[in-house]
Amino acid sequence: MEKRFAVAIDGPSGAGKSTIAKLLANELGFLYVDTGALYRAIGYYVLESGGRPDDAEFVEKHLPKLSVELKYISKLQCVFVNGVNVTDFIRSPEVSMAASAVSAIPAVRLFLLNLQRDTALKNNVIMDG
């Protein structure tokens, strides 16, 4: 079994986490994982589904219907929700607020933790967030 490495870089907003994580991932040949984009993907999905991101019952009910995937296209992380590339849609202020709300839901955190662990089992990763 090949040894894998997972590095997580955490800190306050604006501290340069993503800049350092991207540079380090590129230098080491690791995958860069923007964990915030994963929360944004769930926030986007909830908004598109007509739900409220702070409605834990609604969000938890929809998690089994949700597939979030990270794909790397031309070395850039792209986020797919149920097979659709949503990368260009998850950076709006509305989705940012939705991401913040869904991140407070324990079931969402567990859902994404499993995705992140699976990614780290298959790849060397630098995770931002």
Side-chain angles (χ1 to χ4, degrees):
M1 185 171 172
E2 187 177 335
K3 190 178 223 177
R4 297 280 181 209
F5 294 92
V7 177
I9 299 176
D10 201 6
S13 179
K17 297 180 305 285
S18 60
T19 300
I20 294 298
K22 287 175 187 176
L23 289 170
L24 189 56
N26 188 53
E27 182 70 25
L28 296 173
F30 287 16
L31 287 182
Y32 166 68
V33 178
D34 175 1
T35 61
L38 300 173
Y39 286 97
R40 288 171 178 275
I42 293 179
Y44 173 83
Y45 174 81
V46 170
L47 292 173
E48 288 294 304
S49 298
R52 286 192 355 261
D54 62 346
D55 181 349
E57 186 176 326
F58 177 91
V59 174
E60 288 177 34
K61 184 175 83 173
H62 282 80
L63 286 176
K65 304 172 188 174
L66 179 59
S67 166
V68 178
E69 295 176 274
L70 297 177
K71 295 183 182 180
Y72 295 85
I73 301 171
S74 300
K75 294 189 178 184
L76 295 176
Q77 176 185 278
C78 295
V79 182
F80 286 74
V81 172
N82 293 341
V84 176
N85 187 344
V86 298
T87 306
D88 293 337
F89 306 107
I90 62 172
R91 300 288 173 189
S92 72
E94 183 180 43
V95 172
S96 294
M97 292 181 67
S100 180
V102 299
S103 73
I105 301 170
V108 169
R109 298 184 78 76
L110 181 60
F111 178 84
L112 291 180
L113 178 62
N114 290 331
L115 174 65
Q116 293 166 29
R117 282 184 176 156
D118 185 54
T119 302
L121 284 172
K122 296 175 183 170
N123 306 278
N124 293 314
V125 297
I126 304 288
M127 294 191 182
D128 166 11

